[in-house]
Amino acid sequence: MNAPSEHTLSEHKATNRGSGAERRVEKTTCYMCACRCGIDVHLEGDQVRYIGGNRDHPVNKGVLCAKGSAGIMQHYSPARLRKPLKRVGKRGENRFEEIEWEEALDMATAWLARARATSPKRLAFFTGRDQSQSLTSFWAQQFGTPNYAAHGGFCSVNMATAGIYTIGGAFWEFGQPDWDRTKLFLLFGVAEDHDSNPIKAGISKLKQRGVRVVSVNPIRTGYSAVADDWFGIRPGTDGLLVLSLIHELMRNGRVDLDYLMRYSNAAWLVIDRPGAADDGLFLRDDDGKPLMLDRDSGKPVTATKHPSLKGRLELPEGGSARPSFELIAETALDPAYAPEAVAGETGIGADRIRALAAEIGRVAFEEEIRIDQPWTDMDGEQHDGFTGRPVAFHAMRGISAHSNGFQTCRALHLLQVLIGAVDCPGGFRFEPPYPKPVDVHPKPTGAGVSGRILPNQPLAGPHLGFPRGPEDLLLDDDGKAIRIDKAFSWDAPLSAHGMMHMVIANAFNRDPYPVDVLFLYMANMAWNSSMNTAGTMEMLTATDDDGNYIIPKIIYSDAYASEMVAYADLVLPDTTYLERHDCISLLDRPIAEPDMVADAIRWPVIEPDRDVRGFQTVLIDLGARLGLPGFVGEDGAPTYDDYADYMVNHLRKPGIGPLAGFRGVDGKSAGRGDINPDQLDRYIANGSFWSQEIPEEARFFKFANRAYQDFAVEMGFFDKPAPVTFQLYLEPLQKFRLAAQGHGDRQPPEHLRQRIADTFTPLPRWYPPFEGQGIEDADFPLHALTQRPMAMYHSWGSQNAWLRQIHTANAMHIPAGLFDEMELRDGDLVDVVSHHGRIRVPVKRMAAVNDRTIWTWNAIGKRSGAWNLSPDAPEAEKGFLLNHLIHELLPDRGDGERHANSDPITGQAAWFDLRVRLEKVRDGDTARTMPRFAAQPPLDGAPPQPAASAWHPDRTRRT
Ligand code: SF4
């Protein structure tokens, strides 16, 4: 065991801390949202006084947002948990007994050990806003359960998965617009809580240069409010708009053919043999290499400088093959995607669509950028500069959280590649360690080395991965899902982030099997993180005929008294982000920039004043108590003291650990290198981050740039060069489609055949969102959306005294025309009704919203008494959740089958497919929002949080 970092850390603290009320500034990493900016924490004695931005940090360069500066109130929140808790009342009653850590860890170990000895799959371990998935997934793998994932399945897996499969990376943590060079910026469906400072700083740069910003979003708030042009699109039709833009660009020849031939599969030949088992697959040689037509010889070859993008090759065994570009052109030029044809559905006029397409084409091809930097591609061809098409895109959950979201995100990437704007000057730029082709990502694992899940055996590989075809699905011998959430089953074959939103319902239904322990971290599943919130609470408390809970044990870890705490049997209190070690790792969710690779840490800039422990340290402790391989040595002794020790001494493979910086005994190695016992001190001395610039010749076209690929291998992103060929035509989808047509050993169940055949098209196509297909338009004519405001992040913000003053309650924003037609006044209560439920909410008139869409801020509404808010806090009295209207299943189709309310390809929760109607309140309670749930009593001894306006940290300081 190695833990030499500990004493040096304490020395560092001692020299910095001094005594009494000495002032000092410590540098760590923000956790008030997912951007992970560098922060300067100003301390006075043992008190946090102020948080500022770290000017040297690569992510924020000193900029701090409102959330970041309000971190001080997160740290002093009265909602903080203070000690391990054992349930003494019934689930949901919020009655607990404080216990010592030893008892808590003994209980958890006993429950987990029993599950592992029975069958490891009896544990379902899921995490929410966790930023340590490289550790949590490793732990779950060593435990042996297939039932692990984080919250991506209900966040933005469509975006991530479509991006990885198509271009080897995606928006958000995989890359960013070239803010310094782009000349046209298009933003699709971005809410302002995510990717906060970087986008704000980027848009500021664009404004200073006079660059046009276009926002496509049903709601004009945040970034859309400062856009030069706003397209108030109807929810769920973004894919239709993007395909119409492609239609116009193709029709006008605004396509970068050279880029397509060099870097995409546009020339690869697709077999055209309807009814055959290989119809729609790529024509390959005997070694499996895809073939293309050589323009000079007309022959099929595996490599040529002159591939043909059109033509037909007759095949000796019957049928023919055509370059995929011909299929792309046919799809894109389908009259169904003409601007006039999509105008009605999208709510965007044909003239505006045509004008936007023309502007994209003009900027891409008439305002080309050159950077005179010689570089060499993967074929050894030398180029004297980088050519850029300066149109940049960014997109997020708004286009992703629909049942057609995967194909919409694919369409957007197709558009980027067609105009040659991926990883070029002025376009979208990858951030290391991306791009990575699908081939270097793992396939999902659902069993141990024996091919089965055996008691006390680890899993043979990581849970989450990227299936290449039906053969990679996680199905048992009977064709049933191996995972409790049914990820990687026929329900959602490419569910690369799991399906956390299905876990509780499936565990309750014991479908595909029961679990013994539900172990959750930072996931408020009893409130705003679940669809069908009331139903979820019932499932968490449901008992069998003998009075035993159907989900027998629930362990929950969080720093705060969220709604979920009340439903746990055992609560493991986490620290705040200023009291903990964390690892912002390249193995996990990177924070790199297009021109530099970077990672970062958090460390305890202040000691906890409560009996709490960092969750990751607790997990490592549990791993050792359970004797999990990797967490104990051969002698059974713990491998790591705590998370800090793990961050320094864990090796994922030789020379590769959680942190890439300051490796090697002298701390001078980067990426790969021996363990450096002083690594954390080096990070702290460097402002809690590490960065290294990418060589000039490696900064663009990373997917095909020899110098970048060499750099990536040197850094340990992969062991040999892994260039990316953009997969415009996505063959894995066709493999699932062929199965749905009856080919192959693995066949989907009958009730899913047609859906797979219709939606798994290897080229993006638009289909209407599922919820709308299952209801009558006249009954539910409106769309209803939620988004997080800029000042909040997930449910955390509404217990933060400063942020509460910005958003204390929410209203339902109603389009002005409808508002006037219904003769409403601001503050009136109306009923909003979906196929699943009814809520009563206050309304507000708004002009800048799609005229068929109502919307509200998400997770402002709180359950009375939760988060240690006063029971009559505005968040409980006036705030509300839209989640009560959303069901995890689609409307009953009358055939006995109810599909998940998810994307059929990735399983992404389709939050934004919700359809509703408004009803004026004519009787009953017209004073309060509804539904109302019994108030959760405050945890014993916890001081209720005062009203939103009367807050200062000094008044709640505990000694
Ligand atoms: S953008 Fe996010 S990480 Fe950065 S300061 Fe704001 S809350 Fe913190």
Side-chain angles (χ1 to χ4, degrees):
M1 184 181 2
N2 291 301
S5 58
E6 286 303 302
H7 79 274
T8 43
L9 262 183
S10 1
E11 278 167 13
H12 178 88
K13 288 174 198 168
T15 51
N16 278 282
R17 276 211 174 138
S19 59
E22 185 191 348
R23 295 182 179 192
R24 66 195 190 282
V25 179
E26 305 285 19
K27 292 177 186 294
T28 183
T29 306
C30 186
Y31 203 164
M32 293 297 287
C33 86
C35 291
R36 292 154 289 173
C37 298
I39 51 173
D40 293 347
V41 183
H42 297 246
L43 297 128
E44 187 178 341
D46 62 354
Q47 294 293 304
V48 182
R49 287 302 185 197
Y50 177 72
I51 298 175
N54 177 353
R55 288 174 185 273
D56 302 322
H57 199 275
V59 170
N60 58 319
K61 301 169 187 72
V63 175
L64 198 73
C65 76
K67 296 188 293 281
S69 55
I72 187 169
M73 291 304 182
Q74 205 78 6
H75 179 71
Y76 286 114
S77 167
R80 289 177 305 172
L81 298 169
R82 295 170 301 150
K83 205 168 173 63
L85 300 171
K86 180 170 78 173
R87 179 175 60 79
V88 292
K90 291 182 182 163
R91 273 201 200 144
E93 288 183 347
N94 218 27
R95 289 174 49 222
F96 293 95
E97 175 190 314
E98 290 190 345
I99 56 174
E100 300 303 322
W101 271 103
E102 202 50 36
E103 184 182 351
L105 293 169
D106 278 351
M107 279 172 72
T109 304
W111 298 348
L112 292 166
R114 196 158 54 232
R116 190 163 188 257
T118 311
S119 170
K121 72 180 182 183
R122 309 283 290 202
L123 165 67
F125 176 38
F126 285 78
T127 69
R129 299 173 303 277
D130 172 20
Q131 292 182 1
S132 55
Q133 289 161 34
S134 131
L135 167 69
T136 52
S137 62
F138 178 66
W139 187 94
Q141 185 183 322
Q142 301 310 90
F143 186 94
T145 179
N147 298 320
Y148 163 83
H151 79 293
F154 62 74
C155 183
S156 221
V157 65
N158 273 335
M159 184 65 67
T161 310
I164 294 284
Y165 274 103
T166 308
I167 60 173
F171 303 115
W172 179 217
E173 288 160 322
F174 306 85
Q176 62 177 256
D178 188 350
W179 299 112
D180 293 319
R181 299 181 187 85
T182 195
K183 297 181 182 179
L184 176 63
F185 177 51
L186 291 99
L187 194 63
F188 282 77
V190 176
E192 47 259 44
D193 68 320
H194 275 69
D195 210 347
S196 194
N197 273 346
I199 289 214
K200 277 178 255 169
I203 289 180
S204 164
K205 283 184 179 176
L206 301 186
K207 292 281 173 187
Q208 287 170 33
R209 290 196 292 115
V211 172
R212 187 171 166 213
V213 176
V214 177
S215 173
V216 178
N217 197 318
I219 306 159
R220 188 166 198 180
T221 56
Y223 306 130
S224 298
V226 299
D228 300 286
D229 217 345
W230 171 60
F231 287 71
I233 195 165
R234 183 180 175 200
T237 65
D238 308 82
L240 205 47
L241 172 65
V242 174
L243 288 164
S244 190
L245 293 172
I246 292 173
H247 176 96
E248 280 298 286
L249 288 161
M250 292 284 274
R251 207 173 58 78
N252 291 296
R254 293 296 208 178
V255 174
D256 190 335
L257 294 177
D258 183 59
Y259 186 92
L260 290 177
M261 284 188 281
R262 286 175 182 275
Y263 306 129
S264 82
N265 65 7
W268 294 9
L269 291 164
V270 178
I271 297 168
D272 182 7
R273 197 152 37 206
D278 56 2
D279 180 47
L281 302 184
F282 289 124
L283 186 68
R284 295 174 186 273
D285 71 359
D286 292 343
D287 295 329
K289 289 190 179 149
L291 292 161
M292 59 196 102
L293 279 178
D294 177 53
R295 232 185 302 154
D296 302 327
S297 68
K299 296 251 167 47
V301 293
T302 55
T304 169
K305 283 197 181 313
H306 301 114
S308 181
L309 293 182
K310 61 182 182 183
R312 189 178 281 272
L313 178 73
E314 297 301 328
L315 302 175
E317 58 273 46
S320 58
R322 293 195 291 161
S324 72
F325 186 73
E326 278 201 0
L327 305 175
I328 293 169
E330 276 175 20
T331 305
L333 293 172
D334 185 333
Y337 298 128
E340 281 75 11
V342 308
E345 194 76 39
T346 59
I348 309 294
D351 288 349
R352 291 191 79 198
I353 298 172
R354 218 175 276 112
L356 181 58
E359 181 66 354
I360 292 170
R362 187 192 67 75
V363 175
F365 295 98
E366 295 175 25
E367 298 206 19
E368 187 177 288
I369 291 178
R370 277 289 289 181
I371 294 180
D372 294 327
Q373 167 64 55
W375 65 286
T376 305
D377 68 24
M378 294 305 289
D379 294 330
E381 186 178 343
Q382 298 192 341
H383 304 258
D384 56 9
F386 295 114
T387 300
R389 310 234 171 264
V391 181
F393 296 82
H394 184 72
M396 197 41 198
R397 195 186 305 135
I399 66 167
S400 178
H402 291 285
S403 52
N404 59 13
F406 179 81
Q407 293 288 21
T408 294
C409 298
R410 282 256 304 141
L412 197 50
H413 293 308
L414 173 61
L415 170 55
Q416 290 177 283
V417 177
L418 286 174
I419 61 169
V422 175
D423 214 29
C424 66
F428 164 80
R429 298 186 62 196
F430 288 116
E431 298 167 349
Y434 292 90
K436 285 185 189 178
V438 163
D439 290 346
V440 304
H441 287 277
K443 296 175 178 179
T445 309
V449 286
S450 63
R452 298 172 58 208
I453 298 169
L454 296 175
N456 296 322
Q457 295 296 311
L459 229 52
H463 309 78
L464 304 176
F466 292 82
R468 299 5 172 203
E471 67 279 10
D472 296 329
L473 292 179
L474 299 186
L475 302 171
D476 67 14
D477 294 343
D478 299 325
K480 282 171 60 176
I482 285 178
R483 288 176 55 108
I484 186 71
D485 58 357
K486 302 190 185 179
F488 305 112
S489 73
W490 289 105
D491 283 17
L494 307 189
S495 40
H497 290 183
M499 294 169 69
M500 188 176 187
H501 51 294
M502 298 307 297
V503 171
I504 292 172
N506 291 354
F508 167 76
N509 289 315
R510 296 170 168 147
D511 176 19
Y513 47 78
V515 297
D516 290 342
V517 183
L518 176 62
F519 188 3
L520 299 175
Y521 174 49
M522 288 177 83
N524 199 14
M525 300 307 288
W527 199 245
N528 54 281
S529 292
S530 282
M531 298 170 163
N532 184 16
T533 317
T536 301
M537 289 186 263
E538 281 170 21
M539 292 180 221
L540 290 169
T541 53
T543 53
D544 61 18
D545 293 343
D546 298 327
N548 299 315
Y549 288 117
I550 290 178
I551 302 174
K553 301 290 183 207
I554 299 178
I555 306 173
Y556 184 51
S557 179
D558 202 327
Y560 304 101
S562 73
E563 283 89 350
M564 183 62 211
V565 166
Y567 294 88
D569 303 308
L570 175 65
V571 180
L572 305 174
D574 193 12
T575 64
T576 73
Y577 70 103
L578 300 179
E579 299 166 325
R580 62 188 300 121
H581 279 102
D582 262 325
C583 184
I584 294 105
S585 171
L586 288 170
L587 303 179
D588 206 323
R589 304 175 64 175
I591 57 157
E593 293 286 298
D595 291 338
M596 71 170 57
V597 54
D599 63 14
I601 65 162
R602 292 189 190 94
W603 61 286
V605 298
I606 189 162
E607 295 296 334
D609 59 356
R610 310 161 316 291
D611 194 9
V612 298
R613 295 183 186 177
F615 174 71
Q616 291 74 14
T617 289
V618 170
L619 199 63
I620 287 167
D621 189 345
L622 286 172
R625 287 168 189 253
L626 289 161
L628 303 186
F631 292 89
V632 288
E634 283 181 7
D635 58 356
T639 308
Y640 308 107
D641 281 349
D642 54 21
Y643 194 32
D645 192 15
Y646 174 93
M647 284 158 59
V648 171
N649 292 302
H650 176 70
L651 288 179
R652 194 49 62 91
K653 53 186 183 183
I656 305 279
L659 292 167
F662 309 111
R663 299 195 68 81
V665 281
D666 57 1
K668 291 186 176 160
S669 302
R672 299 175 191 266
D674 291 338
I675 289 167
N676 172 11
D678 299 328
Q679 194 178 27
L680 294 187
D681 285 339
R682 297 292 300 271
Y683 269 83
I684 292 168
N686 195 52
S688 288
F689 70 93
W690 161 84
S691 64
Q692 180 163 321
E693 296 215 334
I694 299 171
E696 297 270 356
E697 71 271 27
R699 292 188 174 179
F700 297 96
F701 296 85
K702 299 182 183 86
F703 50 85
N705 183 321
R706 168 64 67 185
Y708 176 77
Q709 293 291 324
D710 290 346
F711 174 80
V713 172
E714 194 185 313
M715 284 289 135
F717 304 158
F718 17 83
D719 292 332
K720 59 180 187 190
V724 179
T725 302
F726 299 142
Q727 298 296 299
L728 304 184
Y729 184 95
L730 192 54
E731 190 183 49
L733 291 185
Q734 179 64 9
K735 291 183 177 172
F736 287 101
R737 215 155 160 239
L738 287 168
Q741 291 165 5
H743 299 288
D745 298 337
R746 282 201 150 173
Q747 290 289 298
E750 286 310 313
H751 70 278
L752 291 176
R753 266 187 206 282
Q754 195 57 50
R755 188 175 88 165
I756 290 170
D758 291 346
T759 58
F760 281 58
T761 53
L763 289 171
R765 281 189 175 275
W766 183 82
Y767 52 88
F770 289 159
E771 180 161 328
Q773 293 182 40
I775 48 109
E776 292 296 329
D777 255 12
D779 291 340
F780 303 101
L782 299 171
H783 298 261
L785 299 178
T786 57
Q787 58 172 348
R788 293 298 287 154
M790 201 168 280
M792 299 280 185
Y793 181 59
H794 292 279
S795 51
W796 276 355
S798 297
Q799 45 109 21
N800 183 301
W802 286 354
L803 302 181
R804 288 183 67 208
Q805 294 178 58
I806 301 173
H807 297 281
T808 316
N810 51 323
M812 186 67 83
H813 297 82
I814 311 289
L818 178 62
F819 189 94
D820 296 343
E821 195 182 302
M822 291 182 72
E823 298 179 343
L824 296 170
R825 290 166 306 171
D826 278 355
D828 281 356
L829 290 183
V830 301
D831 282 356
V832 185
V833 186
S834 73
H835 79 90
H836 170 58
R838 172 184 295 264
I839 58 176
R840 182 160 296 175
V841 301
V843 293
K844 199 166 184 177
R845 187 178 189 273
M846 183 169 176
V849 59
N850 173 273
D851 62 6
R852 295 186 61 177
T853 304
I854 64 173
W855 74 275
T856 189
W857 297 123
N858 186 31
I860 302 294
K862 294 279 179 263
R863 182 164 172 176
S864 176
W867 299 90
N868 278 352
L869 294 174
S870 300
D872 58 352
E875 286 85 348
E877 287 291 301
K878 297 180 182 161
F880 63 91
L881 275 189
L882 201 65
N883 304 46
H884 304 309
L885 296 180
I886 307 173
H887 203 283
E888 73 271 16
L889 300 176
L890 289 168
D892 192 350
R893 299 187 308 177
D895 61 357
E897 295 289 349
R898 288 192 70 184
H899 295 295
N901 183 11
S902 307
D903 186 290
I905 299 170
T906 64
Q908 154 111 46
W911 299 98
F912 295 164
D913 281 359
L914 179 64
R915 297 288 297 271
V916 298
R917 67 171 176 268
L918 295 183
E919 291 180 5
K920 286 185 94 165
V921 176
R922 304 201 188 282
D923 49 28
D925 189 345
T926 57
R928 298 190 306 171
T929 55
M930 294 174 69
R932 307 208 71 77
F933 298 90
Q936 288 183 341
L939 293 169
D940 282 348
Q945 180 151 191
S949 58
W951 233 93
H952 188 278
D954 283 348
R955 292 190 200 125
T956 59
R957 189 189 308 165
R958 290 205 191 97
T959 53

